Amino acid sequence: MASKIGDKTLEQWVVSNPILKKIMAKEEVLWLNPKTGHRPSVHSAVTSNDVEEAEKRLQRFAPYIETVFPETRPWHGLIESRLVDIPKMKGFLEKTWQQSIPGRLLMKNDSHLPISGSIKARGGIYEVLNVAEQLAIRYGLLEKTDNYAILADESFREFFSKFTISVGSTGNLGLSVGIMGAKLGFRTVVHMSKDAKTWKKDLLREKGVEVREFDGDYSLAVKEGRRMASLDDKCHFIDDENSKDLFVGYATSGNRLKQQFADLGIVVNEGHPLFVYLPCGVGGGPGGITFGLKRIFGRHVHVFFVEPTHAPCFLLGLLTGLYHQVSVMDFGLDNQTDADGLAVPRSSAFAGEAIGHLVSGCLTIEDDQLFRLLKGLKDSEGIPVEPSAAAGFIGPVKLFQTEEGRRYIKEHNLTQHLDGATHLVWTTGGSMVPDPIREAYYRKAEGK
Ligand SMILES: *Cc1c(COP(=O)(O)O)cnc(C)c1O
């Protein structure tokens, strides 16, 4: 008997979802999520209240963050990125793909978030701060009404040094958690998967973080980290496949973006739909952001996730309804991609269930295209990003160029509103990449 994926054989899955043929052949697809707008099948573990709590917590920490990371001064201690108009990149996309893109193209520049240079600075740092606050309050060292700048005192560093924070990561989450944890004084352990880049390990060691190299993929690194942490009751494990704190940290971006839109005079409503394109790994980052955006913009925001053709774990989790119980390997895919943060075989258990009904669809993209887009962005706007972070740019192209995309526009009655639309591409990492590696990415792109 053929082995089953959930309650069906592979063949049965393909018969009921013919798009799987293309996905298994590693062709680029735009898959529309049939559950969009439906009521969630499970009661959501995250509420608006959780996000408001997180917003307040980040405000409490702002004086501390501003003290220890002076680069956050322009944001008064909040960890935030710019929202940038990118008309030249729009021109590049239209010319290269021979596809006009009605509406305005903007970029949310998380590649240049302070402290750790990737989207993970939102969730990862938030969870570390949350752990620190809870410990300090529990031990009577801190009250919520204090000026948190006191956390920079040596006495706090000494206190936190008795505790460990650990995480399993392909790299960027490790950087965020490691840098923040070490700054507060925690003993910090990062379990890195085999594919994690050497420069990330070196940088973390320089900051005093213990890096454990693990000879397996991302899921196995997380598993190993989780196991080791469970043996130590003074160790908090940041679980990328299961963490509500990470998720709400990402979700705080909703209100921030609302303010940035207002500053640029951009409105989002019936006549001005907002399309957002997010690179997706386990789905925690893009999932949290989706939750945050839906909270603010409701049905006027349309969110698409973008994954590598070799690792579409979130797409497969949603399509099968099996979420984290399905691996890309079950569908014969190998999880091999140059997109570090997206080289993930299995999605977050948490994210799929929390936002499976909020995502409009998922796209897949070939690695070659990532490099082409990375180069296009550098050449047109002068902004460097890492390969993963370029994934979202394929979104607006495919929305208009594929049958599925056009169907989405039609079914949501958006046709007459496209000129008033805003397309927001979330660039998720890259500012910490060392120059020689950045140049190597660029040279690789020249051959594409
Ligand atoms: C982690 C990461 C993502 C995706 O976030 P997930 O929570 O894993 O879905 C996207 N881009 C970059 C650069 C990342 O590091």
Side-chain angles (χ1 to χ4, degrees):
M1 203 176 84
S3 69
K4 291 201 166 174
I5 306 167
D7 60 358
K8 291 187 199 170
T9 64
L10 184 58
E11 250 169 44
Q12 288 168 329
W13 279 115
V14 174
V15 170
S16 53
N17 296 275
I19 196 171
L20 281 169
K21 246 186 242 157
K22 286 188 183 171
I23 294 169
M24 290 167 66
K26 304 182 204 74
E27 285 174 35
E28 292 186 344
V29 297
L30 166 52
W31 173 78
L32 297 179
N33 178 10
K35 296 207 180 92
T36 308
H38 288 203
R39 287 199 145 279
S41 50
V42 283
H43 182 69
S44 175
V46 192
T47 64
S48 265
N49 193 42
D50 294 324
V51 183
E52 281 157 27
E53 284 296 314
E55 287 169 347
K56 286 185 208 146
R57 181 164 290 117
L58 289 168
Q59 281 293 350
R60 289 197 290 278
F61 272 96
Y64 166 72
I65 297 288
E66 189 171 355
T67 305
V68 295
F69 295 111
E71 72 262 37
T72 61
R73 210 162 280 157
W75 304 100
H76 306 291
L78 292 181
I79 300 161
E80 198 39 78
S81 70
R82 290 192 312 144
L83 176 65
V84 196
D85 221 339
I86 44 172
K88 293 189 201 118
M89 182 61 180
K90 187 168 175 232
F92 166 80
L93 294 174
E94 292 183 321
K95 183 158 164 270
T96 308
W97 275 269
Q98 292 289 304
Q99 175 63 55
S100 79
I101 300 169
R104 187 168 172 182
L105 182 68
L106 295 169
M107 171 172 73
K108 183 67 177 139
N109 218 1
D110 274 11
S111 48
H112 290 64
L113 272 178
I115 304 178
S116 61
S118 82
I119 187 173
K120 304 294 194 308
R122 294 186 188 277
I125 290 177
Y126 173 73
E127 183 157 347
V128 173
L129 297 178
N130 196 6
V131 172
E133 185 182 58
Q134 284 182 24
L135 281 172
I137 289 176
R138 189 186 325 145
Y139 283 78
L141 304 172
L142 184 73
E143 288 181 29
K144 287 187 180 172
T145 48
D146 286 337
N147 180 334
Y148 279 25
I150 57 169
L151 288 164
D153 287 355
E154 198 46 42
S155 61
F156 275 99
R157 289 183 45 84
E158 212 178 294
F159 167 69
F160 290 130
S161 73
K162 300 187 196 97
F163 302 90
T164 304
I165 292 185
S166 97
V167 67
S169 169
T170 63
N172 285 341
L173 185 61
L175 282 182
S176 297
V177 169
I179 293 171
M180 191 68 244
K183 183 62 94 179
L184 280 157
F186 283 102
R187 180 173 166 251
T188 316
V189 181
V190 178
H191 299 263
M192 288 281 203
S193 51
K194 190 172 58 182
D195 53 346
K197 298 283 184 285
T198 307
W199 69 265
K200 292 183 183 171
K201 297 176 196 163
D202 293 345
L203 194 147
L204 282 173
R205 289 191 174 116
E206 229 170 78
K207 306 257 178 202
V209 175
E210 192 177 320
V211 177
R212 298 210 183 134
E213 295 182 54
F214 190 71
D215 190 28
D217 71 14
Y218 159 85
S219 284
L220 293 168
V222 171
K223 207 167 165 184
E224 178 62 9
R226 195 186 287 135
R227 189 187 67 80
M228 301 210 32
S230 71
L231 306 173
D232 176 357
D233 61 7
K234 285 199 162 151
C235 179
H236 177 88
F237 181 66
I238 294 186
D239 196 330
D240 199 16
E241 293 181 330
N242 246 315
S243 167
K244 178 171 164 180
D245 284 336
L246 280 177
F247 189 90
V248 295
Y250 292 118
T252 59
S253 56
N255 259 325
R256 308 255 186 100
L257 190 65
K258 180 184 172 190
Q259 185 57 47
Q260 289 186 319
F261 274 157
D263 293 345
L264 287 184
I266 292 172
V267 290
V268 179
N269 57 28
E270 189 82 42
H272 301 84
L274 170 63
F275 296 91
V276 181
Y277 310 95
L278 287 152
C280 174
V282 289
I289 287 172
T290 300
F291 187 87
L293 293 176
K294 280 284 177 185
R295 230 184 115 222
I296 308 288
F297 302 114
R299 66 189 173 86
H300 302 309
V301 60
H302 307 269
V303 183
F304 292 88
F305 287 4
V306 188
E307 299 180 286
T309 47
H310 287 244
C313 65
F314 206 86
L315 192 170
L316 289 173
L318 283 184
L319 182 149
T320 58
L322 295 170
Y323 303 116
H324 66 290
Q325 291 161 39
V326 68
S327 158
V328 301
M329 318 261 177
D330 296 336
F331 285 89
L333 297 169
D334 60 8
N335 192 36
Q336 296 302 307
T337 165
D338 278 321
D340 301 5
L342 315 185
V344 175
R346 199 181 282 283
S347 67
S348 147
F350 191 81
E353 293 182 357
I355 53 98
H357 60 295
L358 300 179
V359 181
S360 294
C362 298
L363 297 117
T364 59
I365 182 169
E366 287 175 1
D367 274 22
D368 279 1
Q369 305 259 55
L370 295 177
F371 285 99
R372 205 172 289 149
L373 290 164
L374 171 155
K375 180 174 184 297
L377 184 65
K378 179 73 175 66
D379 291 346
S380 63
E381 304 281 349
I383 298 168
V385 296
E386 63 184 276
S388 312
F393 288 105
I394 204 68
V397 173
K398 294 285 168 113
L399 181 67
F400 295 108
Q401 208 160 59
T402 61
E403 201 186 308
E404 288 82 2
R406 291 192 291 263
R407 179 151 58 89
Y408 184 88
I409 290 169
K410 208 165 144 222
E411 283 177 359
H412 289 79
N413 300 318
L414 296 167
T415 312
Q416 67 277 34
H417 303 311
L418 292 175
D419 286 331
T422 301
H423 300 272
L424 178 62
V425 174
W426 216 285
T427 52
T428 45
S431 65
M432 306 268 283
V433 177
D435 285 340
I437 295 174
R438 183 177 291 162
E439 282 152 23
Y441 285 151
Y442 190 86
R443 276 198 307 278
K444 189 160 180 177
E446 283 178 331
K448 305 293 176 195

